[in-house]
Amino acid sequence: MEKMKLAILGAGKIAATMASTVREMEEVELYAVAARKLEKAQEFADTYGARKAFGGYEEMLKDEDIDLVYVATPHSHHFEHAKLCIQYGKPVLCEKAFTRTAKEAEELLAFAKERGVFITEAMWVRYMPMTRTLLEILNSGRIGAVTALTANLGYSLMDVERMVRPELAGGALLDLGVYTLNFATTVFGDDIKTFSSAMVPHDTGVDKQEFIDLTYADGKVAGLFNTMQNTTDRKGYIYGTKGYMVVDNVNNYEAFHIYNEQYELVETIERPKQISGYEYEVLACKRALEEGKLECEEMPHAHTMRIMKLMDRIRESWQ
């Protein structure tokens, strides 16, 4: 396809970020948006330059010209809305967390495979050039053999309704923990041997902050902290036998700082210029669709399932 026509299902804050990003892209057109009310969809379309606005999701999905649908609704509705897209044969870029549970994720991926429809999770960091740079640095041996890491991600989100409501799949883990877990698995892989976790609940029952410790089969360890109660520095630290590396913002890598064994800063690698960072996942979808693939190699279905199963197990450990 010369210019991919993107439709956005949902018209909230994250949909706005995607829309403003696509508006700056040459390879993609912001083709349509759907909301539960036509007035909201039309206002969104007028603001961001979408060609069409729909006051219903199914109404939009009947449009035969759509190349990809970005599902931007709360986690609680990802399964329902992504499945609806697949029923209409529309390729899907679904926001993280992919679904509420691993069971939902498994059913959704199986349905997409059965119908032969593309779907991928919008774990945007996985698609970024800085992720490849990170792995190149670690594989080069610059800081020696890597054996441990820590990471945190926290924002003051207690006044955000969807974050505190159980029926909207609220809580820190599904919204923020998915990033720290993906950071750990990007660096160390998915062969996790054991884990432990301590959580502090909100009055509504959702998790407002937690620590997660992972131990890998080869002896590596990862310590993760997620919170929707506090603002944190969002840093990741990767420790090697010949130095260490500090990652600015595990939610959208801004810079890598490499230190030697004498705690001296050896090099800083800055993030290349980007629109928002969302453009990389959209372009990855475009490439995969052009190649006839049903998933993105940057975020394969198998990894989405491993993360969903791990988050299920973590939540079960809190009971």
Side-chain angles (χ1 to χ4, degrees):
M1 66 190 80
E2 291 186 5
K3 197 161 188 175
M4 183 172 70
K5 292 182 175 66
L6 178 74
I8 300 179
L9 194 155
K13 185 177 179 181
I14 201 165
T17 300
M18 177 61 81
S20 60
T21 301
V22 172
R23 188 168 54 179
E24 302 297 319
M25 299 176 68
E26 295 181 359
E27 307 93 336
V28 185
E29 174 191 352
L30 181 56
Y31 178 73
V33 60
R36 286 174 294 182
K37 295 182 178 179
L38 179 58
E39 294 80 6
K40 185 174 183 180
Q42 191 61 61
E43 182 183 358
F44 188 99
D46 292 342
T47 300
Y48 297 103
R51 193 192 303 183
K52 296 184 178 183
F54 296 91
Y57 302 143
E58 287 197 63
E59 184 183 354
M60 181 181 75
L61 296 174
K62 292 175 183 177
D63 191 312
E64 295 182 357
D65 291 331
I66 292 171
D67 295 314
L68 177 69
V69 179
Y70 172 59
V71 174
T73 48
H75 319 312
S76 52
H77 293 70
H78 286 178
F79 174 78
E80 173 191 350
H81 293 155
K83 188 173 183 180
L84 187 64
C85 292
I86 295 166
Q87 286 174 340
Y88 279 91
K90 296 294 189 289
V92 183
L93 172 61
C94 184
E95 254 310 326
K96 56 82 209 159
F98 192 62
T99 52
R100 287 174 293 191
T101 65
K103 182 179 179 181
E104 283 188 349
E106 190 169 28
E107 183 178 336
L108 186 59
L109 292 175
F111 185 59
K113 183 178 180 180
E114 175 191 325
R115 294 293 184 99
V117 177
F118 170 92
I119 187 169
T120 194
E121 183 179 4
M123 175 45 65
W124 64 324
V125 182
R126 286 261 172 177
Y127 301 87
M128 294 177 179
M130 282 291 271
T131 296
R132 292 193 296 273
T133 302
L134 172 66
L135 294 176
E136 286 168 2
I137 294 168
L138 298 178
N139 292 334
S140 73
R142 292 282 302 277
I143 61 172
V146 176
T147 62
L149 67 79
T150 62
N152 73 78
L153 188 61
Y155 302 95
S156 297
L157 300 171
M158 300 290 279
D159 59 346
V160 178
E161 185 180 16
R162 71 172 182 84
M163 293 295 296
V164 300
R165 290 175 57 182
E167 66 271 25
L168 294 180
L173 181 65
L174 285 178
D175 204 78
L176 306 174
V178 68
Y179 284 113
T180 56
L181 288 169
N182 265 283
F183 178 70
T185 53
T186 294
V187 177
F188 288 158
D190 295 323
D191 193 9
I192 298 167
K193 184 178 180 181
T194 62
F195 76 90
S196 62
S197 181
M199 180 271 286
V200 178
H202 185 273
D203 292 342
T204 60
V206 303
D207 57 301
K208 62 182 179 182
Q209 55 185 356
E210 62 262 343
F211 282 98
I212 302 169
D213 294 319
L214 307 175
T215 302
Y216 285 76
D218 58 3
K220 296 183 178 72
V221 294
L224 313 175
F225 172 55
N226 318 302
T227 178
M228 65 180 195
Q229 191 173 20
N230 313 297
T231 300
T232 71
D233 60 19
R234 305 177 300 179
K235 291 186 182 293
Y237 292 82
I238 303 172
Y239 304 99
T241 55
K242 296 181 179 179
Y244 63 97
M245 182 172 165
V246 181
V247 176
D248 289 345
N249 191 2
V250 296
N251 188 28
N252 182 6
Y253 304 144
E254 296 171 9
F256 302 143
H257 308 283
I258 302 170
Y259 291 81
N260 62 20
E261 290 177 276
Q262 287 72 47
Y263 309 100
E264 298 167 332
L265 179 61
V266 176
E267 184 180 6
T268 292
I269 300 171
E270 302 283 350
R271 180 179 66 198
K273 185 179 179 181
Q274 62 182 30
I275 302 172
S276 68
Y278 282 30
E279 63 266 33
Y280 300 116
E281 61 189 11
V282 176
L283 290 174
C285 290
K286 185 174 185 291
R287 288 193 300 271
L289 289 169
E290 288 172 341
E291 295 169 5
K293 296 180 179 178
L294 297 181
E295 60 185 318
C296 281
E297 61 182 24
E298 295 88 346
M299 190 65 185
H301 295 166
H303 181 69
T304 289
M305 280 305 310
R306 282 191 284 267
I307 292 293
M308 290 306 307
K309 287 178 179 179
L310 178 57
M311 290 197 295
D312 274 8
R313 292 170 59 203
I314 290 169
R315 283 180 291 182
E316 287 169 5
S317 76
W318 296 338
Q319 303 303 317

